[in-house]
Amino acid sequence: MTAKRPAVLFVCVKNGGKSQMAAALMRHHAGDAVEVHSAGTRPGTAINAQSAEAIAEVGADMSSAVPQPVTPELLRSVDHVIVIGGEAVIEPVEGMTAPVTTWHTDEPSHRGIEGMERMRLVRDDIDAHVRALMNDLTPTAN
């Protein structure tokens, strides 16, 4: 009998950048070992082009991703909810069992770093969080 794959939901406000980056990186590193979802509390209309470019540089892909809303059904269906940054807020819903964890990630723009340099730093910070989470979720798959 095989164990159920852990399911993770990555959340940010617009679901066009950081949460999509985290989802793409988790899919890239964990493959099918982790069920990956991404959503936003106030989803935008498109993926951030610089985010997608920074992800592509490390061999992951988020180019076909579309911003999605957080729904009660999605919150009830996952094992872990990861909020990226301090802006998005997730309120637990009835039937939800997943813990909500907030990752306070680096924001290089606060130091005057912009453009692709900023995006690469954001990507690398999120990647370190993703790899640590993956190791916790799939200790034997690494």
Side-chain angles (χ1 to χ4, degrees):
M1 180 168 163
T2 23
K4 177 184 173 287
R5 287 187 312 158
V8 178
L9 169 62
F10 294 104
V11 177
C12 66
V13 175
K14 293 182 182 178
N15 191 227
K18 293 177 182 178
S19 59
Q20 292 284 2
M21 292 174 88
L25 289 164
M26 181 63 83
R27 286 185 191 103
H28 179 68
H29 296 312
D32 292 335
V34 177
E35 181 182 323
V36 180
H37 302 273
S38 179
T41 55
R42 291 190 316 271
T45 58
I47 295 299
N48 178 296
Q50 285 187 336
S51 295
E53 184 179 341
I55 287 299
E57 289 177 352
V58 296
D61 182 27
M62 61 184 259
S63 61
S64 63
V66 177
Q68 301 291 321
V70 175
T71 64
E73 296 77 21
L74 186 53
L75 290 171
R76 284 191 283 269
S77 72
V78 298
D79 302 306
H80 301 274
V81 176
I82 307 296
V83 178
I84 302 176
E87 294 180 31
V89 176
I90 293 295
E91 295 295 334
V93 297
E94 185 176 338
M96 177 181 164
T97 59
V100 177
T101 304
T102 300
W103 289 351
H104 295 284
T105 55
D106 183 31
E107 186 42 74
S109 64
H110 294 163
R111 299 187 305 277
I113 301 170
E114 297 294 340
M116 282 306 295
E117 182 182 2
R118 170 190 174 265
M119 204 53 68
R120 288 180 185 112
L121 291 168
V122 168
R123 175 203 63 209
D124 293 347
D125 187 42
I126 291 172
D127 191 43
H129 286 280
V130 165
R131 287 174 185 262
L133 176 62
M134 182 187 70
N135 288 336
D136 288 345
L137 298 176
T138 62
T140 58
N142 299 316

